[in-house]
Amino acid sequence: MACDPFDPSAIGRTAIVIAHRLLSLRDADLIVVLEVGHLIEDSLQAELSARNGAYARLRGRQMFCEDTWHAHK
C-alpha cells in the first residue's frame, strides 16, 4: 500500500520516501541524494535544483523524458 508522506496525519512524524518521480518530493523538509550508498547531496528541493549537482541532473533528465513522452502521445 502506498502512503502519502505529506498527508496532514504525517505531521510530526519522520517519513523516509523513495521516489521515482522527483517532483513528488517538492514539499519535503529534507531531500537526501545517495549514489552507490554514499550521501552526495542533501537540502531542500529548490536549493538542490539551483546547485546543478546530481539531483538537478536527475530532475532535468526526468523532465526531458516526461516532455518527450507527452509529445509522442
Side-chain angles (χ1 to χ4, degrees):
M1 176 175 148
C3 298
D4 180 1
F6 305 110
D7 183 283
S9 65
I11 292 174
R13 297 181 179 167
T14 299
I16 297 174
V17 180
I18 298 171
H20 295 279
R21 294 181 49 106
L22 299 179
L23 188 58
S24 63
L25 300 174
R26 67 184 174 274
D27 295 327
D29 293 328
L30 177 68
I31 297 172
V32 175
V33 181
L34 302 172
E35 186 173 79
V36 193
H38 298 280
L39 172 76
I40 56 172
E41 291 183 304
D42 65 327
S43 192
L44 298 172
Q45 190 271 341
E47 186 176 325
L48 289 172
S49 294
R51 285 184 192 166
N52 293 320
Y55 178 88
R57 286 191 303 275
L58 289 170
R59 182 71 187 120
R61 277 188 252 161
Q62 191 170 76
M63 289 173 60
F64 173 79
C65 291
E66 289 173 0
D67 291 344
T68 302
W69 183 81
H70 288 295
H72 290 97
K73 203 172 174 189

